[in-house]
Amino acid sequence: MGRVQLFEISLSHGRVVYSPGEPLAGTVRVRLGAPLPFRAIRVTCIGSCGVSNKANDTAWVVEEGYFNSSLSLADKGSLPAGEHSFPFQFLLPATAPTSFEGPFGKIVHQVRAAIHTPRFSKDHKCSLVFYILSPLNLNSIPDIEQPNVASATKKFSYKLVKTGSVVLTASTDLRGYVVGQALQLHADVENQSGKDTSPVVASLLQKVSYKAKRWIHDVRTIAEVEGAGVKAWRRAQWHEQILVPALPQSALPGCSLIHIDYYLQAPEATVTLPVFIGNIAVNHAPVSPRPGLGLPPGAPPLVVPSAPPQEEAEAEAAAGGPHFLDPVFLSTKSHSQRQPLLATLSSVPGAPEPCPQDGSPASHPLHPPLCISTGATVPYFAEGSGGPVPTTSTLILPPEYSSWGYPYEAPPSYEQSCGGVEPSLTPES
């Protein structure tokens, strides 16, 4: 064995996750098989972000630093054979951003130690990565408890000479959610044509933007649900839910190179609802009823034929179309999330308790979870009595993603989706 048999860094109490403004304490341990002369023993605490133009490339083209503090543990001298411990402590800055790892960049916080030896001798170095979580309190976002609503209308032609339109209104019960909470999706589709529509599809999307020489947008589908199509001259409603898996939070305050956004999108209709993923749940009950969906209270029910004959349909279309006052309810054809997900989530060490079926957060307080990456093998941490527990369970992580070329087309903004952008929801041919 060499002269240096052990050179490592350990953090107090085995901690892995810290909050901005907290003290970070630890020990540098050295075990020597023979005396070691040195010029200095130093320990450094570093926080930085790097972004690359290529996926999974650590040759950063743009970097920014958040903190870089050094301590001298020992001055010039000689360490005798045996074990030596050097305690240290740093104060993490209150502005330190949350840790994050993605294909085009990462926010990394680490402690580095070095034994600087005399000239012509090899220096000895070691490092240890730790994680910072700056919790996103969803209650600090304006109108977060309000329903999220967007609508789009598409006009089209069919059978060469006929015209029709489809009106899609989508909403969620809240604007922000935490890991394990159910996102309640509601859609109202009015088919003002004589043809059945294609299935209604809704996707939860994650968009991570990296500021390299130009902005790179990495868009991934987190979950997808598909409902049945709407019959001709019918109005239909669709209710479904998506369980929020372990995801990085929406905002990375303090970092100017990486931005994270989430959207609920109906791809064929270009209806986009921005959604926030946070660490502290909304503590207000959702506002109801959702505007634009369903009949107002006390409205008399009116009956409309489900599929009028072609002659009636043509006459009604010429007169402005039939009235859609008696909606039907669509069934769900497929769901990308497995059904046992909610039950299994509670059995994973370190995972938060699942939320009630109505989508409300758990009734008792929980430590905010930390998910630092967009990948499917990222460690998932939650502070508890037993300390942080990493896991790579696929049941609480996003699915594997295919490789995309870049730059990616970002989803339209909320203003674009509500401001007359032509959606592309088309009936089946």
Side-chain angles (χ1 to χ4, degrees):
M1 298 180 66
R3 181 179 298 180
V4 178
Q5 299 175 352
L6 175 69
F7 185 32
E8 67 177 12
I9 302 170
S10 60
L11 299 179
S12 297
H13 309 296
R15 290 192 61 181
V16 177
V17 183
Y18 291 81
S19 299
E22 267 195 298
L24 180 146
T27 304
V28 175
R29 295 178 57 212
V30 183
R31 184 191 304 140
L32 301 176
L36 176 68
F38 64 91
R39 291 184 292 116
I41 302 177
R42 301 187 64 83
V43 62
T44 306
C45 188
I46 302 172
S48 63
C49 175
V51 172
S52 174
N53 283 325
K54 299 178 181 179
N56 304 316
D57 184 6
T58 56
W60 309 128
V61 296
V62 181
E63 294 183 74
E64 68 178 10
Y66 308 115
F67 52 90
N68 189 336
S69 302
S70 295
L71 293 175
S72 177
L73 302 180
D75 295 327
K76 183 177 181 180
S78 178
L79 287 177
E83 292 199 9
H84 306 271
S85 296
F86 301 92
F88 64 84
Q89 180 170 307
F90 295 97
L91 182 63
L92 299 175
T95 56
T98 295
S99 300
F100 175 80
E101 294 181 7
F104 294 93
K106 59 177 63 177
I107 300 172
V108 179
H109 307 292
Q110 58 184 315
V111 178
R112 296 176 181 173
I115 302 176
H116 300 285
T117 56
R119 192 175 182 182
F120 305 122
S121 297
K122 179 183 177 182
D123 290 345
H124 302 276
K125 299 179 181 180
C126 66
S127 63
L128 177 67
V129 173
F130 64 93
Y131 303 95
I132 289 182
L133 170 61
S134 179
L136 174 59
N137 187 345
L138 293 175
N139 299 284
S140 64
I141 301 174
D143 301 324
I144 192 66
E145 76 282 359
Q146 298 293 326
N148 214 359
V149 183
S151 181
T153 302
K154 173 63 179 180
K155 294 184 178 180
F156 53 87
S157 299
Y158 63 99
K159 291 187 177 180
L160 299 180
V161 295
K162 297 183 181 297
T163 60
S165 62
V166 173
V167 180
L168 172 62
T169 301
S171 73
T172 58
D173 54 331
L174 297 171
R175 297 172 186 261
Y177 303 87
V178 297
V179 171
Q181 190 172 358
L183 181 155
Q184 302 294 335
L185 168 65
H186 304 268
D188 185 288
V189 186
E190 190 172 296
N191 184 5
Q192 301 174 355
S193 75
K195 293 292 291 183
D196 298 350
T197 71
S198 57
V200 181
V201 179
S203 303
L204 177 61
L205 303 179
Q206 177 196 69
K207 184 185 78 170
V208 183
S209 303
Y210 302 87
K211 187 179 181 180
K213 292 182 178 179
R214 57 177 177 175
W215 282 101
I216 299 173
H217 303 291
D218 182 18
V219 181
R220 300 165 183 255
T221 300
I222 303 301
E224 185 175 87
V225 290
E226 179 181 337
V230 181
K231 298 294 184 180
W233 306 112
R234 292 295 297 170
R235 177 185 172 198
Q237 292 185 354
W238 182 41
H239 298 169
E240 193 46 82
Q241 67 179 16
I242 295 175
L243 190 67
V244 178
L247 294 168
Q249 63 192 52
S250 289
L252 296 173
C255 176
S256 63
L257 300 182
I258 301 176
H259 298 165
I260 304 177
D261 299 290
Y262 294 94
Y263 303 87
L264 188 67
Q265 186 178 74
E268 297 183 355
T270 321
V271 172
T272 303
L273 298 172
V275 174
F276 293 92
I277 304 298
N279 311 97
I280 301 176
V282 177
N283 56 20
H284 301 291
V287 177
S288 60
R290 283 165 290 276
L293 296 181
L295 295 173
L302 298 178
V303 178
V304 181
S306 59
Q310 185 67 29
E311 294 78 12
E312 291 185 27
E314 292 176 355
E316 288 175 328
H323 298 285
F324 303 87
L325 297 177
D326 187 23
V328 296
F329 291 93
L330 298 181
S331 60
T332 296
K333 297 177 62 178
S334 65
H335 200 306
S336 66
Q337 294 180 324
R338 285 173 281 186
Q339 294 302 318
L341 177 61
L342 192 60
T344 309
L345 185 62
S346 60
S347 64
V348 178
E353 291 293 330
C355 301
Q357 290 292 336
D358 61 1
S360 60
S363 58
H364 56 281
L366 294 169
H367 293 282
L370 166 63
C371 182
I372 65 166
S373 168
T374 61
T377 58
V378 48
Y380 177 91
F381 295 100
E383 291 184 277
S385 57
V389 178
T391 176
T392 55
S393 170
T394 57
L395 290 176
I396 64 169
L397 293 169
E400 291 285 356
Y401 304 111
S402 59
S403 299
W404 295 38
Y406 77 93
Y408 306 98
E409 290 296 330
S413 65
Y414 184 80
E415 290 77 11
Q416 288 175 328
S417 66
C418 299
V421 176
E422 278 292 310
S424 58
L425 180 64
T426 56
E428 295 175 345
S429 57

